[in-house]
PDB file of all heavy atoms in Angstrom:
ATOM      1  N   TYR A 112     -29.040  39.596 -62.580  1.00 96.00           N
ATOM      2  CA  TYR A 112     -27.781  40.103 -62.021  1.00 96.00           C
ATOM      3  C   TYR A 112     -27.337  41.402 -62.702  1.00 96.00           C
ATOM      4  O   TYR A 112     -27.365  41.534 -63.922  1.00 96.00           O
ATOM      5  CB  TYR A 112     -26.674  39.052 -62.163  1.00 96.00           C
ATOM      6  CG  TYR A 112     -25.296  39.540 -61.829  1.00 96.00           C
ATOM      7  CD1 TYR A 112     -24.897  39.776 -60.537  1.00 96.00           C
ATOM      8  CD2 TYR A 112     -24.378  39.832 -62.874  1.00 96.00           C
ATOM      9  CE1 TYR A 112     -23.618  40.236 -60.245  1.00 96.00           C
ATOM     10  CE2 TYR A 112     -23.110  40.305 -62.572  1.00 96.00           C
ATOM     11  CZ  TYR A 112     -22.728  40.503 -61.258  1.00 96.00           C
ATOM     12  OH  TYR A 112     -21.449  40.997 -60.982  1.00 96.00           O
ATOM     13  N   LYS A 113     -26.915  42.362 -61.886  1.00 92.00           N
ATOM     14  CA  LYS A 113     -26.364  43.604 -62.386  1.00 92.00           C
ATOM     15  C   LYS A 113     -24.879  43.715 -61.943  1.00 92.00           C
ATOM     16  O   LYS A 113     -24.587  43.714 -60.768  1.00 92.00           O
ATOM     17  CB  LYS A 113     -27.140  44.828 -61.865  1.00 92.00           C
ATOM     18  CG  LYS A 113     -26.589  46.133 -62.400  1.00 92.00           C
ATOM     19  CD  LYS A 113     -27.429  47.320 -61.856  1.00 92.00           C
ATOM     20  CE  LYS A 113     -26.866  48.627 -62.449  1.00 92.00           C
ATOM     21  NZ  LYS A 113     -27.654  49.804 -61.898  1.00 92.00           N
ATOM     22  N   HIS A 114     -24.025  43.772 -62.922  1.00 94.00           N
ATOM     23  CA  HIS A 114     -22.576  43.767 -62.626  1.00 94.00           C
ATOM     24  C   HIS A 114     -22.143  45.200 -62.241  1.00 94.00           C
ATOM     25  O   HIS A 114     -22.691  46.194 -62.676  1.00 94.00           O
ATOM     26  CB  HIS A 114     -21.768  43.312 -63.832  1.00 94.00           C
ATOM     27  CG  HIS A 114     -20.307  43.082 -63.507  1.00 94.00           C
ATOM     28  ND1 HIS A 114     -19.897  42.012 -62.787  1.00 94.00           N
ATOM     29  CD2 HIS A 114     -19.198  43.817 -63.833  1.00 94.00           C
ATOM     30  CE1 HIS A 114     -18.571  42.068 -62.647  1.00 94.00           C
ATOM     31  NE2 HIS A 114     -18.148  43.171 -63.253  1.00 94.00           N
ATOM     32  N   GLY A 115     -21.161  45.232 -61.383  1.00 88.00           N
ATOM     33  CA  GLY A 115     -20.609  46.530 -60.966  1.00 88.00           C
ATOM     34  C   GLY A 115     -20.554  46.643 -59.454  1.00 88.00           C
ATOM     35  O   GLY A 115     -21.062  45.779 -58.721  1.00 88.00           O
ATOM     36  N   GLN A 228     -21.574  40.672 -56.917  1.00 96.00           N
ATOM     37  CA  GLN A 228     -20.371  40.614 -57.766  1.00 96.00           C
ATOM     38  C   GLN A 228     -19.316  39.765 -57.102  1.00 96.00           C
ATOM     39  O   GLN A 228     -18.702  38.882 -57.717  1.00 96.00           O
ATOM     40  CB  GLN A 228     -19.838  42.034 -57.999  1.00 96.00           C
ATOM     41  CG  GLN A 228     -18.563  42.045 -58.864  1.00 96.00           C
ATOM     42  CD  GLN A 228     -18.102  43.439 -59.202  1.00 96.00           C
ATOM     43  OE1 GLN A 228     -18.885  44.359 -59.204  1.00 96.00           O
ATOM     44  NE2 GLN A 228     -16.814  43.581 -59.456  1.00 96.00           N
ATOM     45  N   VAL A 231     -20.613  35.947 -57.014  1.00 97.00           N
ATOM     46  CA  VAL A 231     -20.565  35.292 -58.312  1.00 97.00           C
ATOM     47  C   VAL A 231     -19.097  35.019 -58.714  1.00 97.00           C
ATOM     48  O   VAL A 231     -18.762  33.925 -59.192  1.00 97.00           O
ATOM     49  CB  VAL A 231     -21.289  36.109 -59.376  1.00 97.00           C
ATOM     50  CG1 VAL A 231     -21.061  35.467 -60.773  1.00 97.00           C
ATOM     51  CG2 VAL A 231     -22.756  36.218 -59.071  1.00 97.00           C
ATOM     52  N   GLU A 232     -18.254  35.985 -58.506  1.00 96.00           N
ATOM     53  CA  GLU A 232     -16.818  35.834 -58.824  1.00 96.00           C
ATOM     54  C   GLU A 232     -16.251  34.651 -58.107  1.00 96.00           C
ATOM     55  O   GLU A 232     -15.507  33.802 -58.670  1.00 96.00           O
ATOM     56  CB  GLU A 232     -16.062  37.109 -58.486  1.00 96.00           C
ATOM     57  CG  GLU A 232     -14.549  37.040 -58.679  1.00 96.00           C
ATOM     58  CD  GLU A 232     -13.862  38.284 -58.168  1.00 96.00           C
ATOM     59  OE1 GLU A 232     -14.447  39.372 -58.197  1.00 96.00           O
ATOM     60  OE2 GLU A 232     -12.728  38.136 -57.721  1.00 96.00           O
ATOM     61  N   ILE A 235     -17.734  31.142 -59.338  1.00 96.00           N
ATOM     62  CA  ILE A 235     -17.196  30.688 -60.624  1.00 96.00           C
ATOM     63  C   ILE A 235     -15.827  30.023 -60.472  1.00 96.00           C
ATOM     64  O   ILE A 235     -15.540  29.013 -61.131  1.00 96.00           O
ATOM     65  CB  ILE A 235     -17.154  31.871 -61.615  1.00 96.00           C
ATOM     66  CG1 ILE A 235     -18.563  32.207 -62.068  1.00 96.00           C
ATOM     67  CG2 ILE A 235     -16.277  31.524 -62.854  1.00 96.00           C
ATOM     68  CD1 ILE A 235     -18.679  33.433 -62.960  1.00 96.00           C
ATOM     69  N   PHE A 253     -27.682  34.306 -69.690  1.00 97.00           N
ATOM     70  CA  PHE A 253     -26.695  34.760 -68.699  1.00 97.00           C
ATOM     71  C   PHE A 253     -25.595  35.550 -69.370  1.00 97.00           C
ATOM     72  O   PHE A 253     -24.431  35.459 -68.981  1.00 97.00           O
ATOM     73  CB  PHE A 253     -26.100  33.526 -67.970  1.00 97.00           C
ATOM     74  CG  PHE A 253     -27.128  32.709 -67.214  1.00 97.00           C
ATOM     75  CD1 PHE A 253     -27.252  31.370 -67.437  1.00 97.00           C
ATOM     76  CD2 PHE A 253     -27.967  33.301 -66.294  1.00 97.00           C
ATOM     77  CE1 PHE A 253     -28.191  30.599 -66.754  1.00 97.00           C
ATOM     78  CE2 PHE A 253     -28.912  32.556 -65.619  1.00 97.00           C
ATOM     79  CZ  PHE A 253     -29.038  31.214 -65.837  1.00 97.00           C
ATOM     80  N   LYS A 254     -25.958  36.329 -70.357  1.00 95.00           N
ATOM     81  CA  LYS A 254     -25.004  37.086 -71.123  1.00 95.00           C
ATOM     82  C   LYS A 254     -24.189  38.055 -70.248  1.00 95.00           C
ATOM     83  O   LYS A 254     -22.994  38.239 -70.465  1.00 95.00           O
ATOM     84  CB  LYS A 254     -25.722  37.905 -72.216  1.00 95.00           C
ATOM     85  CG  LYS A 254     -24.804  38.588 -73.222  1.00 95.00           C
ATOM     86  CD  LYS A 254     -25.595  39.231 -74.332  1.00 95.00           C
ATOM     87  CE  LYS A 254     -24.652  39.869 -75.350  1.00 95.00           C
ATOM     88  NZ  LYS A 254     -25.395  40.512 -76.463  1.00 95.00           N
ATOM     89  N   ARG A 255     -24.808  38.625 -69.220  1.00 95.00           N
ATOM     90  CA  ARG A 255     -24.103  39.539 -68.322  1.00 95.00           C
ATOM     91  C   ARG A 255     -22.972  38.805 -67.599  1.00 95.00           C
ATOM     92  O   ARG A 255     -21.932  39.407 -67.310  1.00 95.00           O
ATOM     93  CB  ARG A 255     -25.056  40.143 -67.299  1.00 95.00           C
ATOM     94  CG  ARG A 255     -26.057  41.144 -67.883  1.00 95.00           C
ATOM     95  CD  ARG A 255     -26.911  41.716 -66.755  1.00 95.00           C
ATOM     96  NE  ARG A 255     -27.934  42.606 -67.278  1.00 95.00           N
ATOM     97  CZ  ARG A 255     -28.830  43.196 -66.502  1.00 95.00           C
ATOM     98  NH1 ARG A 255     -28.866  42.994 -65.208  1.00 95.00           N
ATOM     99  NH2 ARG A 255     -29.727  43.988 -67.038  1.00 95.00           N
ATOM    100  N   ILE A 256     -23.209  37.530 -67.256  1.00 97.00           N
ATOM    101  CA  ILE A 256     -22.194  36.758 -66.577  1.00 97.00           C
ATOM    102  C   ILE A 256     -21.022  36.519 -67.524  1.00 97.00           C
ATOM    103  O   ILE A 256     -19.822  36.693 -67.146  1.00 97.00           O
ATOM    104  CB  ILE A 256     -22.750  35.424 -66.064  1.00 97.00           C
ATOM    105  CG1 ILE A 256     -23.929  35.664 -65.142  1.00 97.00           C
ATOM    106  CG2 ILE A 256     -21.671  34.588 -65.400  1.00 97.00           C
ATOM    107  CD1 ILE A 256     -23.591  36.464 -63.897  1.00 97.00           C
ATOM    108  N   GLN A 257     -21.317  36.143 -68.722  1.00 96.00           N
ATOM    109  CA  GLN A 257     -20.251  35.858 -69.744  1.00 96.00           C
ATOM    110  C   GLN A 257     -19.430  37.095 -70.050  1.00 96.00           C
ATOM    111  O   GLN A 257     -18.217  37.028 -70.295  1.00 96.00           O
ATOM    112  CB  GLN A 257     -20.902  35.290 -70.992  1.00 96.00           C
ATOM    113  CG  GLN A 257     -21.646  33.999 -70.767  1.00 96.00           C
ATOM    114  CD  GLN A 257     -22.706  33.747 -71.852  1.00 96.00           C
ATOM    115  OE1 GLN A 257     -22.530  34.144 -72.990  1.00 96.00           O
ATOM    116  NE2 GLN A 257     -23.790  33.102 -71.481  1.00 96.00           N
ATOM    117  N   GLU A 258     -20.099  38.265 -70.076  1.00 96.00           N
ATOM    118  CA  GLU A 258     -19.400  39.522 -70.419  1.00 96.00           C
ATOM    119  C   GLU A 258     -18.459  39.979 -69.307  1.00 96.00           C
ATOM    120  O   GLU A 258     -17.482  40.683 -69.584  1.00 96.00           O
ATOM    121  CB  GLU A 258     -20.408  40.599 -70.689  1.00 96.00           C
ATOM    122  CG  GLU A 258     -21.219  40.397 -71.969  1.00 96.00           C
ATOM    123  CD  GLU A 258     -22.335  41.424 -72.109  1.00 96.00           C
ATOM    124  OE1 GLU A 258     -22.677  42.097 -71.110  1.00 96.00           O
ATOM    125  OE2 GLU A 258     -22.867  41.552 -73.232  1.00 96.00           O
ATOM    126  N   ASN A 259     -18.703  39.574 -68.081  1.00 96.00           N
ATOM    127  CA  ASN A 259     -17.999  40.160 -66.944  1.00 96.00           C
ATOM    128  C   ASN A 259     -17.122  39.135 -66.190  1.00 96.00           C
ATOM    129  O   ASN A 259     -16.349  39.574 -65.319  1.00 96.00           O
ATOM    130  CB  ASN A 259     -18.958  40.807 -66.001  1.00 96.00           C
ATOM    131  CG  ASN A 259     -19.683  41.980 -66.627  1.00 96.00           C
ATOM    132  OD1 ASN A 259     -19.105  43.037 -66.814  1.00 96.00           O
ATOM    133  ND2 ASN A 259     -20.971  41.832 -66.913  1.00 96.00           N
ATOM    134  N   PHE A 260     -17.252  37.866 -66.496  1.00 96.00           N
ATOM    135  CA  PHE A 260     -16.467  36.851 -65.786  1.00 96.00           C
ATOM    136  C   PHE A 260     -15.859  35.885 -66.769  1.00 96.00           C
ATOM    137  O   PHE A 260     -16.474  35.567 -67.813  1.00 96.00           O
ATOM    138  CB  PHE A 260     -17.325  36.111 -64.770  1.00 96.00           C
ATOM    139  CG  PHE A 260     -17.918  36.966 -63.703  1.00 96.00           C
ATOM    140  CD1 PHE A 260     -19.219  37.423 -63.819  1.00 96.00           C
ATOM    141  CD2 PHE A 260     -17.189  37.363 -62.591  1.00 96.00           C
ATOM    142  CE1 PHE A 260     -19.789  38.236 -62.847  1.00 96.00           C
ATOM    143  CE2 PHE A 260     -17.728  38.145 -61.610  1.00 96.00           C
ATOM    144  CZ  PHE A 260     -19.044  38.606 -61.735  1.00 96.00           C
ATOM    145  N   ASP A 261     -14.687  35.370 -66.445  1.00 94.00           N
ATOM    146  CA  ASP A 261     -14.031  34.336 -67.288  1.00 94.00           C
ATOM    147  C   ASP A 261     -14.534  32.982 -66.892  1.00 94.00           C
ATOM    148  O   ASP A 261     -14.169  32.445 -65.866  1.00 94.00           O
ATOM    149  CB  ASP A 261     -12.514  34.492 -67.094  1.00 94.00           C
ATOM    150  CG  ASP A 261     -11.764  33.422 -67.918  1.00 94.00           C
ATOM    151  OD1 ASP A 261     -12.383  32.845 -68.857  1.00 94.00           O
ATOM    152  OD2 ASP A 261     -10.587  33.166 -67.609  1.00 94.00           O
ATOM    153  N   LEU A 262     -15.356  32.402 -67.749  1.00 93.00           N
ATOM    154  CA  LEU A 262     -15.898  31.083 -67.509  1.00 93.00           C
ATOM    155  C   LEU A 262     -14.962  29.968 -67.911  1.00 93.00           C
ATOM    156  O   LEU A 262     -15.125  28.798 -67.574  1.00 93.00           O
ATOM    157  CB  LEU A 262     -17.259  30.896 -68.173  1.00 93.00           C
ATOM    158  CG  LEU A 262     -18.390  31.837 -67.735  1.00 93.00           C
ATOM    159  CD1 LEU A 262     -19.636  31.543 -68.507  1.00 93.00           C
ATOM    160  CD2 LEU A 262     -18.608  31.704 -66.236  1.00 93.00           C
TER     161      LEU A 262
END
Side-chain angles (χ1 to χ4, degrees):
Y112 169 75
K113 181 179 180 180
H114 189 73
Q228 180 175 335
V231 173
E232 177 186 328
I235 287 175
F253 300 126
K254 189 174 181 180
R255 290 182 184 178
I256 301 300
Q257 299 157 32
E258 291 173 344
N259 296 288
F260 299 98
D261 178 18
L262 298 180

